[in-house]
Amino acid sequence: MNGLLVGRSAELSKLVRVLESAADGTAGVALVGGDAGIGKTRLAGELVAEARERGFHVMVGQCAELGDALPYLPLADALRGAEPAVREAVAAHPMLGQLLPGHDTGAPSAGLTQQRLFGSLLGLLADVQPVLFVIEDLHWADRSTRDLLVFLSRMLQSERVCVVGTYRTDDLHRRHPLRAVLAELKRLPSVTNVELGPLESGEMSDYVTTLGEVDAQELGLIVSRAGGNPFYAEELFAAMSEGDSLPDGLASLLLSRVEVLSEAGQRVLRAAAVAGRRVEDELLREVSGLPLAEFEEAVREIVSRGLLKVQGYGYAFRHALLQEAVYTDLLPGERTRLHADFARLLTSSAELAHHHLASHDLAGALAASAQAGREAERLGAPAEAHNHYDQALGLWDRVEGAEELAGESRAALAFRSAVAAADSGDNHRAVTRLRALPPTSEVDERLAYYLFETNDPPGAIAAAERAVESAEDAPSLARALATQARTLLWGPRHHEVEPLTARALETARASGAVDAEVGALLTLASYVENHGDVARAHSLVESASARETGVLAMDLRARFHHARIHYEQGMLAQAAEVADAGVKLAVDTGLNWSTYGTDLRFLRLLIHYVAGEWDAAEAVAAGFGARVGTLSEAILSSFALFIEVGRGLPAVEARLEWLRPFWHDALATYMSRGMAAEHALWNGDPAAALDHVHAALATLDEGESGTLRLAAVGLSAMTELGTTEGADDLLARARFAATRGPTGEFVQLGPEGRAWALRVEAEWLRLQGRLDVELWRKVVAAFDFGFVYEVARTRWRLAEALLAAGEREEAQEQWSLAKGAAGRLRAAPLEAALLEFGRRARFGGGQPEGALTAREVEVLRLVAEGLTNREIAGRLFIAQKTVSVHVSNILGKLDVATRTQAAAAARTHNLLS
């Protein structure tokens, strides 16, 4: 009603700071909460003006009070009303175009469609940055919009993007779905919370005087009645200006302003209230039933009194409170008739379902709900699809001819509902719904799939067997067989995988079920790879990758495994080529944040990391946000630790702190604590390193190949600690993994696995004080398939062994090669360790330090002071037996026979300074 913002300078400053950070390359999210009428929209409008002045593109979308009926409504609203530059950019992201009128994209898998939609929006925001995206009235947001807000809050990192959401605090009852979302988001450092409270009396007085002339008595009355609420003050001022008395309560006040309208004006306003916050001009005219001239005169009256405002090709209530007051005041029969009128004219299935239900037309509601569910699937809104289907199912027994109205059987609709629940992330609900359905092959195949995903192998196997037994056609049988093979892959019945996949492949090829064929090929490839037939695994995965299934998840899965097998066999160039093609497919389809989209990206990071392309690896890792809130984000984030630990970047500590809450999960623990162990070693804390190793090992089953790297790190930590306790157990566990594998049978390791197995043997001998030159040479050669960093780290240990063996010249040569590689990688911790070793070894002059470890030097100094083993153990807080091992190592390395000779050698070679 006025152009001045009063009493909100502090709140606006907080929002502007988020905007400024976004402009500087740090994306941010602001959540603006407050009671209805407190000024949230006004504040957001001020920020929009500020953003435009700063050169931001602006997108503004509004939620509507239709619950989960209309998925992505605010995003569609923002795209429809976006600036020309933004609308032009949308053309490059067809998944977003389907939200606009006149677009149809067919019906791909709902779960993938949602991931593609989210990825496409990220791409659009990156294309048009800097951008301010405002979502108003989040308390009315549908489930998919809430998911989208969480996704943006977590995924936006360095983009020049600011997202602002507004919501009513007085609408958030204890079980309101937005409450959990807000609690989750407010924990993120990228999220700024802005709460709008009532204006102070002085601020309210200043505000009211901006509305127009008012005497002191009237001002005092308005301020005392408004309770610090600007909208209430505006309505009081408007009523007073029109000479009305001031009724008690906001609803009464609002209706008193409606009652002064002409009969035609009230009729139009009541119809508009049934439509919701906004309504199109033509639709409102039809429902009002007024002649054109009378309708237009009525609308002019309403707009002139500030009750509706013109917006686009229609009208919007000036405030949601006014719409709610008018709607609540309708008589029951009047409300029912108006909803029926809207249902007669609308074409949107979701809105039709809403109006049919409100008008008690159950048959219409069932038909519209079923169709709305199918439309939500196409839009990539599985949660809304599930709700629409469930609404239709809830009406089924109350309607005659339900199957004809829904367009499919009750069982088919319930099956759709279960799949939609799974696609929205609720596998447990999907399992419950599927178990309640009549058992068919299709039902049991999906049940087996979801049970396997929820870590119930016995249940999954049983369901898959039923699916195979009950299959009535070849495609169903092929899919059931492929799923059954997958459920058996890692269990004691793994020997059944090969005959099952052979049968699945034969059936799939005969019936044209390409998705089942590719699934069976990938399962068989994993099986033969685990049993040492790598050449056949390559061939199978290549065949799977060459087939286009029409199911993007399957196509990405094939490309991931194709690249993975190349990587694990040390074929880095080929792995990079396949991974790049897979990443491109994921980006082009908006699936870069899907399961296999992220898998391909972290695999690409590992390929860069191993190949010594560390700048490229760091660039990829920069996209793996440290501010994680979900398990999948935590696992992805942990991969960034490879490059961050290797380079000693300061981001390591903060990332580990964010990952710590997820250490209850096996994979997150293995990944992040395994790298935390190496970080602790580089920072002189071998005890912490060993704790991390033991925690990570506890997550692995016996025989898993990940044991090898952890065992090597653990043995290295033991050497630094000067303890052999548990070393033999570590060695035995590593040897079992290297020779027997997870199935307890013979396993064929790839080149990296073989290198780590040799590294374990060498580290165990180093712990015993035996520096085996030839073994360390073998470790260097094993890592030399292309693993630049580990070759450098191993050359360091080889140089130590050579120096201890008196091969000083070759030791210096290996040290020099390692130092050069560390410098090129900018591997600061390794480079520092090599420089320290070079100083102690006096490369370039002087006598070597005999390749003594840091702990051995400590022990030697105390020996030179004349302390006994018991006294040294007490001084260093280690076991007396451990001291004895150290002393034996020292005597051997210095080639002396007694402690006195060792002390003399230490003084001769200046080892005590």
Side-chain angles (χ1 to χ4, degrees):
M1 187 172 269
N2 68 89
L4 297 177
L5 185 69
V6 176
R8 300 299 188 198
S9 58
E11 292 87 347
L12 180 60
S13 294
K14 288 180 73 172
L15 294 178
V16 169
R17 284 196 293 273
V18 179
L19 194 70
E20 289 172 340
S21 294
D24 293 337
T26 301
V29 176
L31 299 172
V32 181
D35 288 350
I38 207 69
K40 302 179 294 297
T41 299
R42 180 70 183 80
L43 183 63
E46 195 74 15
L47 184 68
V48 165
E50 180 73 23
R52 287 197 167 112
E53 284 186 14
R54 294 169 180 260
F56 274 67
H57 293 295
V58 175
M59 298 166 57
V60 180
Q62 193 164 49
C63 305
E65 194 177 7
L66 291 174
D68 282 350
L70 288 172
Y72 305 117
L73 179 61
L75 176 56
D77 187 33
L79 293 175
R80 279 195 299 267
E83 303 158 4
V86 176
R87 288 201 301 273
E88 290 172 11
V90 171
H93 303 278
M95 288 302 301
L96 296 175
Q98 68 178 333
L99 297 176
L100 300 175
H103 290 73
D104 189 6
T105 60
S109 164
L112 278 186
T113 305
Q114 182 171 65
Q115 294 167 2
R116 294 177 67 187
L117 191 72
F118 287 7
S120 295
L121 180 58
L122 271 186
L124 173 68
L125 295 176
D127 290 347
V128 300
Q129 59 184 315
V131 58
L132 169 65
F133 182 19
V134 179
I135 306 175
E136 293 206 66
D137 297 325
L138 284 170
H139 50 281
W140 288 330
D142 55 278
R143 161 72 183 276
S144 291
T145 295
R146 295 193 298 271
D147 290 344
L148 178 62
L149 178 63
V150 173
F151 176 82
L152 292 176
S153 300
R154 298 195 178 286
M155 293 301 107
L156 290 169
Q157 301 281 334
S158 57
E159 297 85 353
R160 292 185 296 154
V161 176
C162 175
V163 179
V164 175
T166 69
Y167 64 94
R168 285 192 200 170
T169 52
D170 48 338
D171 267 20
L172 300 187
H173 53 79
R174 187 166 59 88
R175 295 186 177 180
H176 195 290
L178 186 63
R179 288 180 71 95
V181 173
L182 294 174
E184 177 183 349
L185 294 184
K186 288 177 182 179
R187 291 196 295 267
L188 299 176
S190 59
V191 175
T192 298
N193 186 46
V194 178
E195 292 284 346
L196 299 185
L199 294 175
E200 299 291 340
S201 296
E203 294 169 337
M204 278 299 292
S205 297
D206 292 342
Y207 179 70
V208 173
T209 58
T210 69
L211 303 178
E213 293 186 7
V214 60
D215 62 34
Q217 182 178 359
E218 292 172 333
L219 177 62
L221 182 60
I222 292 173
V223 170
S224 63
R225 293 282 295 277
N229 187 300
F231 176 69
Y232 199 173
E234 289 179 19
E235 293 302 312
L236 288 166
F237 177 85
M240 193 173 288
S241 298
E242 293 169 359
D244 297 337
S245 60
L246 300 184
D248 293 328
L250 180 56
S252 299
L253 172 63
L254 294 173
L255 290 174
S256 72
R257 297 196 58 214
V258 174
E259 290 164 359
V260 301
L261 294 173
S262 65
E263 178 57 35
Q266 291 188 46
R267 183 173 177 175
V268 170
L269 198 64
R270 287 195 291 269
V274 171
R277 181 79 183 272
R278 289 182 294 182
V279 62
E280 298 295 318
D281 175 85
E282 186 176 349
L283 183 61
L284 182 59
R285 180 172 61 81
E286 287 285 341
V287 173
S288 73
L290 294 172
L292 179 60
E294 191 175 351
F295 169 77
E296 289 182 343
E297 186 60 33
V299 171
R300 287 183 187 280
E301 178 189 15
I302 296 168
V303 171
S304 69
R305 289 185 176 273
L307 301 175
L308 289 181
K309 59 184 179 180
V310 177
Q311 190 172 86
Y313 294 100
Y315 313 98
F317 279 88
R318 191 171 67 81
H319 200 282
L321 287 172
L322 177 59
Q323 182 266 332
E324 292 165 14
V326 176
Y327 183 82
T328 303
D329 193 54
L330 291 172
L331 296 172
E334 183 180 24
R335 184 182 302 138
T336 298
R337 285 190 297 275
L338 285 169
H339 275 296
D341 287 341
F342 275 106
R344 177 173 50 84
L345 297 167
L346 287 167
T347 58
S348 163
S349 298
E351 290 181 287
L352 275 173
H354 168 73
H355 287 292
H356 278 311
L357 268 180
S359 64
H360 311 299
D361 179 2
L362 302 188
L366 187 150
S369 294
Q371 182 58 27
R374 290 187 280 268
E375 290 175 1
E377 277 191 66
R378 288 198 295 272
L379 285 175
E384 286 71 23
H386 171 67
N387 290 337
H388 284 305
Y389 291 142
D390 265 17
Q391 182 167 279
L393 291 166
L395 296 170
W396 198 276
D397 292 331
R398 301 165 63 188
V399 174
E400 290 291 334
E403 184 168 329
E404 183 178 350
L405 289 167
E408 55 190 319
S409 69
R410 183 174 194 163
L413 198 67
F415 181 77
R416 280 182 177 271
S417 181
V419 172
D423 286 339
S424 67
D426 196 344
N427 281 335
H428 292 287
R429 174 171 289 193
V431 166
T432 301
R433 297 301 169 87
L434 289 171
R435 280 177 166 157
L437 288 175
T440 65
S441 179
E442 187 180 29
V443 168
D444 279 326
E445 186 276 328
R446 284 294 86 189
L447 179 60
Y449 190 93
Y450 300 142
L451 286 170
F452 191 73
E453 292 291 307
T454 54
N455 199 28
D456 181 4
I461 292 168
E465 288 173 344
R466 292 196 303 271
V468 171
E469 292 168 1
S470 61
E472 296 182 350
D473 56 66
S476 295
L477 177 59
R479 294 185 182 100
L481 288 166
T483 297
Q484 184 183 12
R486 185 168 180 258
T487 64
L488 298 175
L489 182 59
W490 303 109
R493 293 171 58 189
H494 60 89
H495 292 295
E496 298 176 38
V497 168
E498 189 157 15
L500 278 172
T501 51
R503 188 179 167 200
L505 288 170
E506 180 182 359
T507 309
R509 286 165 179 161
S511 62
V514 181
D515 58 325
E517 179 186 356
V518 171
L521 283 170
L522 294 174
T523 298
L524 180 58
S526 295
Y527 174 79
V528 299
E529 181 190 9
N530 291 336
H531 287 75
D533 194 345
V534 176
R536 189 178 174 204
H538 270 295
S539 176
L540 290 166
V541 173
E542 282 188 29
S543 297
S545 299
R547 302 301 305 271
E548 296 293 336
T549 66
V551 181
L552 283 169
M554 190 69 74
D555 293 341
L556 288 172
R557 178 185 168 200
R559 283 158 176 77
F560 168 74
H561 285 294
H562 195 188
R564 177 191 60 77
I565 290 179
H566 280 308
Y567 166 75
E568 291 181 355
Q569 296 306 315
M571 303 166 68
L572 300 182
Q574 296 91 327
E577 182 180 353
V578 177
D580 284 340
V583 169
K584 183 178 186 302
L585 176 63
V587 171
D588 288 348
T589 55
L591 287 172
N592 47 319
W593 286 104
S594 67
T595 299
Y596 282 107
T598 54
D599 285 352
L600 279 160
R601 286 190 295 139
F602 78 61
L603 180 60
R604 192 62 184 92
L605 180 147
L606 290 180
I607 296 167
H608 283 310
Y609 172 77
V610 170
E613 300 160 352
W614 278 25
D615 287 343
E618 189 173 343
V620 175
F624 300 170
R627 304 178 306 223
V628 297
T630 66
L631 179 58
S632 58
E633 293 168 4
I635 292 169
L636 184 63
S637 173
S638 64
F639 280 90
L641 290 169
F642 280 97
I643 190 69
E644 290 176 351
V645 169
R647 281 189 159 168
L649 300 179
V652 173
E653 293 292 346
R655 190 179 294 274
L656 285 173
E657 278 304 308
W658 278 99
L659 290 169
R660 190 179 299 275
F662 297 94
W663 284 355
H664 62 277
D665 176 78
L667 183 54
T669 300
Y670 167 71
M671 288 299 306
S672 60
R673 298 200 73 171
M675 294 311 300
E678 297 197 18
H679 178 64
L681 264 184
W682 285 129
N683 286 274
D685 192 351
L690 198 55
D691 286 343
H692 285 304
V693 165
H694 287 314
L697 281 171
T699 69
L700 299 180
D701 292 331
E702 190 174 14
E704 288 194 56
S705 60
T707 302
L708 298 171
R709 181 169 183 153
L710 288 172
V713 173
L715 290 168
S716 181
M718 289 179 178
T719 300
E720 293 302 311
L721 284 169
T723 178
T724 59
E725 185 178 351
D728 290 347
D729 291 338
L730 262 186
L731 178 65
R733 186 166 177 178
R735 284 176 173 171
F736 185 89
T739 57
R740 304 290 293 279
T743 63
E745 301 172 359
F746 173 77
V747 66
Q748 179 66 47
L749 293 173
E752 184 182 351
R754 292 194 296 271
W756 283 112
L758 285 169
R759 177 81 156 265
V760 168
E761 300 291 339
E763 289 287 1
W764 185 81
L765 288 176
R766 188 168 77 94
L767 175 60
Q768 312 305 317
R770 295 159 56 192
L771 302 182
D772 189 322
V773 171
E774 292 310 311
L775 182 53
W776 282 109
R777 287 192 204 279
K778 290 178 182 178
V779 181
V780 170
F783 276 120
D784 206 16
F785 66 89
F787 205 149
V788 177
Y789 177 58
E790 291 305 335
V791 168
R793 283 214 290 186
T794 309
R795 288 191 192 280
W796 170 29
R797 297 304 183 198
L798 175 57
E800 287 182 335
L802 287 165
L803 193 62
E807 300 290 340
R808 179 174 176 77
E809 184 176 343
E810 188 182 354
Q812 185 162 352
E813 179 185 350
Q814 293 294 332
W815 169 79
S816 180
L817 289 170
K819 189 161 69 71
R824 288 189 295 275
L825 294 172
R826 299 208 309 279
L830 175 58
E831 194 171 18
L834 286 164
L835 289 172
E836 172 61 19
F837 171 63
R839 183 194 65 78
R840 289 189 290 109
R842 288 169 173 79
F843 287 140
Q847 294 297 317
E849 193 171 310
L852 298 182
T853 66
R855 177 65 86 180
E856 287 167 349
V857 171
E858 284 185 288
V859 171
L860 178 57
R861 288 171 181 158
L862 297 176
V863 167
E865 291 179 18
L867 273 64
T868 65
N869 286 358
R870 182 190 295 274
E871 291 169 331
I872 294 172
R875 183 80 64 91
L876 298 179
F877 302 101
I878 58 179
Q880 187 174 339
K881 182 179 178 181
T882 302
V883 176
S884 178
V885 171
H886 281 313
V887 172
S888 297
N889 291 342
I890 291 167
L891 297 179
K893 290 179 180 181
L894 296 182
D895 195 23
V896 294
T898 67
R899 297 164 73 96
T900 303
Q901 289 173 341
R907 294 187 180 92
T908 300
H909 297 310
N910 196 27
L911 302 182
L912 303 180
S913 60

